[in-house]
Amino acid sequence: ISSNYGAFMERSMFASSVAPLYRLGAAWITAGEDYTVGGSVYSLESIDVWQVKGRAFGARGTWAPRHDDGDTLHLGLSLARESYDHPGRDGANGLRIAPRPAGHLSDNSRATLVNFNRGLDTDVDKYSLEFGFARGPWYLQSEVSGANFDDGSQRGEIRSAYGLIGWFITGETTPYDSKSGRFGRVKPTRSSGAWQLAARYDTIRGKQHLNGAADFNDVSMEQVSVGVNWHLRSNLRFMLDWIESRNRDRLADVTLDRTRAVTGRFQYDF
């Protein structure tokens, strides 16, 4: 779903920290009555991290056996293969995954799930299973995702999942675009706007080990979010989120950090 239409200000921890953003590449997509199939190739270099080099390709397929207004069932699968050129060498940053447990305001609360910085070429395989459902004023969204890292001397893995439920008090429904395989923009049915309540549970865990050895890193994060959204117009809304999160070192069996946040947004898109 577009960030302009999502029920929360922040995407899931996996999507915001493991999925690549703003890369140069090319993509292709085709759609039938109830399915989409797409693929892409892209560079791992970006404007603000130009020292990072590499190439990647991805694919996504969706199937929506029901996609009528007010009654939608969506299933999807995304895959990606990324090949990084010697992260951590020649001025390039290490390949470090450290999600924000409570959104962009919680950088000081970030814990590292995996860190590949030995200057060895690193391959990353990623996947995500998608589920979406909308019926009347109710909306459900969930993903089960993972990433496997390998630089020839050590391996890491990330596993993540979240579940989201939303309810429009004022009776609106979340529309669906079968040509792109995404949920879309909510249109209020009354002049006073549409009100939505939402809740999400999000968890992510990272492990890392040298080949043939036990894990030297095992960190997990979990997050509970509750949100209220007021869609005054289809492109104008106010958002308020409350977030409670916790980071744990599972090897030491200790809580590294516990963060609470209240965030708000006024949003106008055009």
Side-chain angles (χ1 to χ4, degrees), residues 215-227:
D215 292 334
F216 63 79
N217 187 55
D218 186 353
V219 176
S220 66
M221 305 178 191
E222 59 180 358
Q223 176 194 101
V224 176
S225 305
V226 177

Side-chain angles (χ1 to χ4, degrees), residues 13-190:
M13 288 188 286
F14 186 89
S16 61
S17 58
V18 181
L21 298 175
Y22 305 113
R23 297 294 187 263
L24 181 65
W28 164 88
I29 186 172
T30 186
E33 182 178 350
D34 55 7
Y35 72 89
T36 69
V37 177
S40 63
V41 292
Y42 53 96
S43 169
L44 296 173
E45 179 180 348
S46 66
I47 293 175
D48 54 347
V49 285
W50 57 269
Q51 301 96 332
V52 175
K53 307 295 183 181
R55 66 235 139 257
F57 64 88
R60 178 176 183 254
T62 69
W63 178 50
R66 301 201 311 268
H67 51 82
D68 298 328
D69 289 342
D71 185 11
T72 299
L73 174 63
H74 164 98
L75 301 172
L77 171 64
S78 298
L79 302 170
R81 170 79 170 188
E82 299 178 349
S83 298
Y84 289 83
D85 293 340
H86 47 267
R89 193 177 73 189
D90 297 336
N93 297 328
L95 184 51
R96 180 174 179 263
I97 307 299
R100 292 167 167 150
H104 68 283
L105 300 177
S106 62
D107 275 352
N108 292 333
S109 303
R110 302 176 85 170
T112 301
L113 299 184
V114 297
N115 189 11
F116 285 75
N117 58 6
R118 294 185 167 194
L120 301 175
D121 292 356
T122 303
D123 293 327
V124 186
D125 294 309
K126 303 176 182 180
Y127 68 87
S128 185
L129 297 168
E130 309 171 13
F131 170 80
F133 176 78
R135 174 170 291 179
W138 294 96
Y139 174 71
L140 303 177
Q141 179 181 312
S142 180
E143 289 185 74
V144 176
S145 309
N148 297 318
F149 301 74
D150 188 351
D151 70 358
S153 69
Q154 58 182 330
R155 298 186 179 185
E157 66 175 41
I158 292 177
R159 299 292 181 264
S160 183
Y162 73 86
L164 180 157
I165 183 170
W167 173 50
F168 278 98
I169 304 172
T170 46
E172 286 78 6
T173 191
T174 304
Y176 183 77
D177 181 1
S178 59
K179 294 183 179 181
S180 63
R182 302 198 305 174
F183 288 89
R185 184 190 300 275
V186 173
K187 297 181 179 180
T189 58
R190 60 188 72 190

Side-chain angles (χ1 to χ4, degrees), residues 235-248:
N235 64 339
L236 175 65
R237 66 174 177 170
F238 298 89
M239 308 177 71
L240 184 67
D241 294 351
W242 173 84
I243 305 166
E244 166 105 16
S245 66
R246 183 176 65 165
N247 301 338
R248 286 191 57 80

